[in-house]
mmCIF file of all heavy atoms in Angstrom:
data_model
loop_
_atom_site.group_PDB
_atom_site.id
_atom_site.type_symbol
_atom_site.label_atom_id
_atom_site.label_comp_id
_atom_site.label_asym_id
_atom_site.label_seq_id
_atom_site.Cartn_x
_atom_site.Cartn_y
_atom_site.Cartn_z
ATOM 1 N N TRP P 32 87.202 36.526 42.618
ATOM 2 C CA TRP P 32 87.444 36.599 41.169
ATOM 3 C C TRP P 32 87.342 38.049 40.693
ATOM 4 O O TRP P 32 88.155 38.496 39.891
ATOM 5 C CB TRP P 32 86.433 35.693 40.462
ATOM 6 C CG TRP P 32 86.539 35.645 38.992
ATOM 7 C CD1 TRP P 32 87.361 34.842 38.236
ATOM 8 C CD2 TRP P 32 85.780 36.411 38.048
ATOM 9 N NE1 TRP P 32 87.158 35.077 36.904
ATOM 10 C CE2 TRP P 32 86.186 36.034 36.757
ATOM 11 C CE3 TRP P 32 84.789 37.381 38.176
ATOM 12 C CZ2 TRP P 32 85.660 36.587 35.602
ATOM 13 C CZ3 TRP P 32 84.253 37.933 37.026
ATOM 14 C CH2 TRP P 32 84.688 37.543 35.770
ATOM 15 N N LEU P 33 86.359 38.780 41.191
ATOM 16 C CA LEU P 33 86.211 40.191 40.828
ATOM 17 C C LEU P 33 87.415 41.000 41.315
ATOM 18 O O LEU P 33 87.926 41.853 40.575
ATOM 19 C CB LEU P 33 84.919 40.764 41.420
ATOM 20 C CG LEU P 33 83.627 40.336 40.732
ATOM 21 C CD1 LEU P 33 82.419 40.662 41.605
ATOM 22 C CD2 LEU P 33 83.502 40.975 39.362
ATOM 23 N N ARG P 34 87.883 40.735 42.527
ATOM 24 C CA ARG P 34 89.064 41.438 43.050
ATOM 25 C C ARG P 34 90.280 41.198 42.168
ATOM 26 O O ARG P 34 91.070 42.113 41.938
ATOM 27 C CB ARG P 34 89.373 40.976 44.473
ATOM 28 C CG ARG P 34 88.572 41.671 45.514
ATOM 29 C CD ARG P 34 89.050 41.321 46.932
ATOM 30 N NE ARG P 34 87.937 41.490 47.831
ATOM 31 C CZ ARG P 34 87.117 40.534 48.237
ATOM 32 N NH1 ARG P 34 87.290 39.291 47.842
ATOM 33 N NH2 ARG P 34 86.123 40.812 49.051
ATOM 34 N N GLU P 35 90.450 39.967 41.685
ATOM 35 C CA GLU P 35 91.581 39.639 40.810
ATOM 36 C C GLU P 35 91.541 40.436 39.514
ATOM 37 O O GLU P 35 92.563 40.629 38.872
ATOM 38 C CB GLU P 35 91.585 38.140 40.482
ATOM 39 C CG GLU P 35 91.943 37.257 41.648
ATOM 40 C CD GLU P 35 91.768 35.782 41.337
ATOM 41 O OE1 GLU P 35 91.398 35.436 40.193
ATOM 42 O OE2 GLU P 35 91.974 34.974 42.248
ATOM 43 N N ARG P 36 90.358 40.905 39.141
ATOM 44 C CA ARG P 36 90.196 41.705 37.916
ATOM 45 C C ARG P 36 90.064 43.195 38.219
ATOM 46 O O ARG P 36 89.561 43.961 37.416
ATOM 47 C CB ARG P 36 88.977 41.209 37.142
ATOM 48 C CG ARG P 36 89.344 39.972 36.340
ATOM 49 C CD ARG P 36 88.248 38.945 36.273
ATOM 50 N NE ARG P 36 88.764 37.733 35.640
ATOM 51 C CZ ARG P 36 89.441 36.801 36.286
ATOM 52 N NH1 ARG P 36 89.707 36.916 37.556
ATOM 53 N NH2 ARG P 36 89.874 35.727 35.656
ATOM 54 N N ASN P 37 90.532 43.580 39.404
ATOM 55 C CA ASN P 37 90.530 44.979 39.853
ATOM 56 C C ASN P 37 89.138 45.593 39.864
ATOM 57 O O ASN P 37 88.964 46.770 39.544
ATOM 58 C CB ASN P 37 91.493 45.827 39.008
ATOM 59 C CG ASN P 37 92.920 45.360 39.153
ATOM 60 O OD1 ASN P 37 93.352 45.031 40.249
ATOM 61 N ND2 ASN P 37 93.639 45.311 38.058
ATOM 62 N N GLU P 38 88.146 44.799 40.213
ATOM 63 C CA GLU P 38 86.779 45.282 40.360
ATOM 64 C C GLU P 38 86.433 45.270 41.853
ATOM 65 O O GLU P 38 86.920 44.424 42.593
ATOM 66 C CB GLU P 38 85.795 44.371 39.606
ATOM 67 C CG GLU P 38 85.980 44.333 38.102
ATOM 68 C CD GLU P 38 85.517 45.601 37.417
ATOM 69 O OE1 GLU P 38 84.674 46.324 37.985
ATOM 70 O OE2 GLU P 38 85.994 45.867 36.316
ATOM 71 N N ASP P 39 85.603 46.197 42.276
ATOM 72 C CA ASP P 39 85.163 46.260 43.671
ATOM 73 C C ASP P 39 83.968 45.325 43.843
ATOM 74 O O ASP P 39 82.893 45.593 43.313
ATOM 75 C CB ASP P 39 84.773 47.692 44.028
ATOM 76 C CG ASP P 39 84.313 47.840 45.464
ATOM 77 O OD1 ASP P 39 84.367 46.845 46.227
ATOM 78 O OD2 ASP P 39 83.895 48.953 45.832
ATOM 79 N N PRO P 40 84.133 44.221 44.574
ATOM 80 C CA PRO P 40 83.035 43.258 44.719
ATOM 81 C C PRO P 40 81.813 43.845 45.419
ATOM 82 O O PRO P 40 80.709 43.354 45.234
ATOM 83 C CB PRO P 40 83.637 42.117 45.530
ATOM 84 C CG PRO P 40 84.981 42.523 45.938
ATOM 85 C CD PRO P 40 85.347 43.783 45.248
ATOM 86 N N GLU P 41 81.999 44.890 46.207
ATOM 87 C CA GLU P 41 80.873 45.519 46.889
ATOM 88 C C GLU P 41 79.946 46.245 45.913
ATOM 89 O O GLU P 41 78.816 46.577 46.263
ATOM 90 C CB GLU P 41 81.382 46.491 47.962
ATOM 91 C CG GLU P 41 82.166 45.816 49.068
ATOM 92 C CD GLU P 41 81.367 44.752 49.805
ATOM 93 O OE1 GLU P 41 80.175 44.980 50.091
ATOM 94 O OE2 GLU P 41 81.934 43.681 50.087
ATOM 95 N N MET P 42 80.419 46.498 44.698
ATOM 96 C CA MET P 42 79.615 47.176 43.679
ATOM 97 C C MET P 42 78.686 46.212 42.935
ATOM 98 O O MET P 42 77.889 46.636 42.111
ATOM 99 C CB MET P 42 80.522 47.874 42.656
ATOM 100 C CG MET P 42 81.325 49.027 43.219
ATOM 101 S SD MET P 42 80.282 50.392 43.739
ATOM 102 C CE MET P 42 79.567 50.881 42.197
ATOM 103 N N TYR P 43 78.812 44.907 43.214
ATOM 104 C CA TYR P 43 78.070 43.907 42.452
ATOM 105 C C TYR P 43 77.196 43.039 43.349
ATOM 106 O O TYR P 43 77.594 42.633 44.438
ATOM 107 C CB TYR P 43 79.035 42.986 41.690
ATOM 108 C CG TYR P 43 79.796 43.704 40.618
ATOM 109 C CD1 TYR P 43 81.023 44.292 40.880
ATOM 110 C CD2 TYR P 43 79.281 43.811 39.334
ATOM 111 C CE1 TYR P 43 81.729 44.959 39.902
ATOM 112 C CE2 TYR P 43 79.979 44.474 38.343
ATOM 113 C CZ TYR P 43 81.194 45.045 38.638
ATOM 114 O OH TYR P 43 81.881 45.713 37.658
ATOM 115 N N LYS P 44 76.032 42.735 42.842
ATOM 116 C CA LYS P 44 75.161 41.724 43.428
ATOM 117 C C LYS P 44 75.364 40.475 42.571
ATOM 118 O O LYS P 44 75.356 40.558 41.343
ATOM 119 C CB LYS P 44 73.708 42.196 43.359
ATOM 120 C CG LYS P 44 72.726 41.254 43.976
ATOM 121 C CD LYS P 44 71.332 41.842 43.930
ATOM 122 C CE LYS P 44 70.334 40.876 44.513
ATOM 123 N NZ LYS P 44 68.971 41.409 44.432
ATOM 124 N N VAL P 45 75.566 39.328 43.207
ATOM 125 C CA VAL P 45 75.854 38.092 42.487
ATOM 126 C C VAL P 45 74.649 37.155 42.601
ATOM 127 O O VAL P 45 74.193 36.852 43.700
ATOM 128 C CB VAL P 45 77.111 37.400 43.049
ATOM 129 C CG1 VAL P 45 77.417 36.133 42.274
ATOM 130 C CG2 VAL P 45 78.298 38.346 43.042
ATOM 131 N N LEU P 46 74.140 36.720 41.455
ATOM 132 C CA LEU P 46 73.017 35.777 41.406
ATOM 133 C C LEU P 46 73.464 34.520 40.667
ATOM 134 O O LEU P 46 74.286 34.596 39.748
ATOM 135 C CB LEU P 46 71.830 36.405 40.687
ATOM 136 C CG LEU P 46 71.325 37.731 41.258
ATOM 137 C CD1 LEU P 46 70.326 38.364 40.315
ATOM 138 C CD2 LEU P 46 70.705 37.512 42.611
ATOM 139 N N PHE P 47 72.892 33.393 41.044
ATOM 140 C CA PHE P 47 73.225 32.114 40.410
ATOM 141 C C PHE P 47 71.957 31.493 39.845
ATOM 142 O O PHE P 47 70.915 31.505 40.494
ATOM 143 C CB PHE P 47 73.863 31.158 41.421
ATOM 144 C CG PHE P 47 75.118 31.705 42.035
ATOM 145 C CD1 PHE P 47 75.104 32.230 43.317
ATOM 146 C CD2 PHE P 47 76.306 31.710 41.326
ATOM 147 C CE1 PHE P 47 76.247 32.745 43.890
ATOM 148 C CE2 PHE P 47 77.467 32.224 41.889
ATOM 149 C CZ PHE P 47 77.436 32.747 43.171
#
Side-chain angles (χ1 to χ4, degrees):
W32 180 85
L33 285 165
R34 277 188 206 95
E35 290 173 2
R36 279 143 188 83
N37 297 319
E38 296 287 337
D39 180 4
E41 297 301 318
M42 294 294 296
Y43 294 91
K44 182 177 178 182
V45 181
L46 304 170
F47 301 103

